[in-house]
Amino acid sequence: NAGVTQTPKFQVLKTGQSMTLQCAQDMNHEYMSWYRQDPGMGLRLIHYSVGAGITDQGEVPNGYNVSRSTTEDFPLRLLSAAPSQTSVYFCASSYSMSGELFFGEGSRLTVL
Amino acid sequence: AQSVAQPEDQVNVAEGNPLTVKCTYSVSGNPYLFWYVQYPNRGLQFLLKYITGDNLVKGSYGFEAEFNKSQTSFHLKKPSALVSDSALYFCAVRDHSGYSTLTFGKGTMLLVSP
């Protein structure tokens, strides 16, 4: 059982470039979310989805875009990368918003 | 707005001794409370949660947490620490409303010395 799979694990971008972080889960979870982890700041919610076709903003959505066309996939798009987006990004899913989250292994992004 | 405070950046304990990692929260109404653990270069793993009922919650790897409504606290505890418990621990909270999201604390690094 793969759980939550994130790709790529590492990425280096130049300022202004765009890219997509992929997230897929095989647990048929309705709820999926993206967090960023920065030293001393814990995890901050970027965007989340409560089901296919439904997305909403979290605490720090600016500069990021998401879509949820299937239950399994929840990609995170960086539209024009900035050095402030250097971070470790985690995708997580849950059977409901009140359930425990299952996390991917993370994607470490560096923006130069 | 809901919030979580983990007042200690780091907790040091000797192997075999009891450990406590502190967490206090602020939320409208009744809380859902969670503890997660993160090992180096890994994603977070669920340890335990409080939804309702008994104030003492038991979780994975021998950890437990005590919900104290009057003190708005949810401290993580273990009777006897292991070196392998060394990791980053996160407390998280959400309220019971339909679309409330989870808010995480900043994390506490637990270091267990041999």
Side-chain angles (χ1 to χ4, degrees):
Chain A
N1 193 344
V4 179
T5 303
Q6 290 183 234
T7 56
K9 290 189 181 344
F10 301 95
Q11 183 72 50
V12 179
L13 290 178
K14 294 181 179 179
T15 297
Q17 288 184 317
S18 62
M19 77 158 298
T20 298
L21 298 177
Q22 301 290 345
C23 176
Q25 53 92 7
D26 62 0
M27 296 172 283
N28 202 31
H29 286 168
E30 290 295 326
Y31 180 78
M32 296 186 73
S33 54
W34 277 101
Y35 288 87
R36 58 177 289 172
Q37 182 179 21
D38 302 291
M41 302 191 73
L43 276 79
R44 293 180 293 168
L45 181 65
I46 305 172
H47 285 286
Y48 66 97
S49 169
V50 297
I54 306 169
T55 63
D56 206 346
Q57 297 181 351
E59 180 185 355
V60 288
N62 292 341
Y64 307 96
N65 210 349
V66 292
S67 60
R68 184 94 180 270
S69 56
T70 66
T71 299
E72 293 79 19
D73 300 301
F74 191 45
L76 178 72
R77 297 182 185 83
L78 280 71
L79 308 173
S80 177
S84 60
Q85 294 179 304
T86 293
S87 187
V88 181
Y89 291 86
F90 288 99
C91 180
S93 73
S94 175
Y95 60 87
S96 75
M97 287 192 72
S98 61
E100 57 266 32
L101 293 172
F102 292 79
F103 283 83
E105 292 292 288
S107 297
R108 185 176 294 274
L109 175 67
T110 301
V111 182
L112 302 176
Chain B
Q2 59 197 31
S3 65
V4 175
Q6 294 183 240
E8 301 152 319
D9 291 335
Q10 185 168 307
V11 170
N12 297 296
V13 65
E15 188 173 33
N17 284 357
L19 69 88
T20 298
V21 182
K22 295 179 180 177
C23 170
T24 59
Y25 67 90
S26 174
V27 72
S28 299
N30 294 319
Y32 289 124
L33 292 156
F34 299 80
W35 276 102
Y36 289 85
V37 60
Q38 184 181 32
Y39 298 101
N41 300 313
R42 303 296 299 276
L44 280 69
Q45 297 177 31
F46 168 76
L47 274 181
L48 52 80
K49 68 179 177 183
Y50 171 83
I51 302 295
T52 187
D54 289 341
N55 290 342
L56 185 63
V57 179
K58 293 187 183 297
S60 306
Y61 313 120
F63 284 93
E64 57 189 28
E66 186 169 11
F67 171 64
N68 187 317
K69 188 172 184 177
S70 63
Q71 298 186 5
T72 61
S73 67
F74 190 57
H75 301 330
L76 182 69
K77 300 181 180 183
K78 187 175 183 182
S80 178
L82 299 172
V83 172
S84 57
D85 292 330
S86 298
L88 186 58
Y89 290 81
F90 290 96
C91 181
V93 69
R94 59 157 294 193
D95 65 32
H96 280 223
S97 65
Y99 289 100
S100 173
T101 57
L102 202 58
T103 298
F104 284 84
K106 296 187 188 320
T108 299
M109 179 63 71
L110 173 66
L111 294 177
V112 182
S113 55

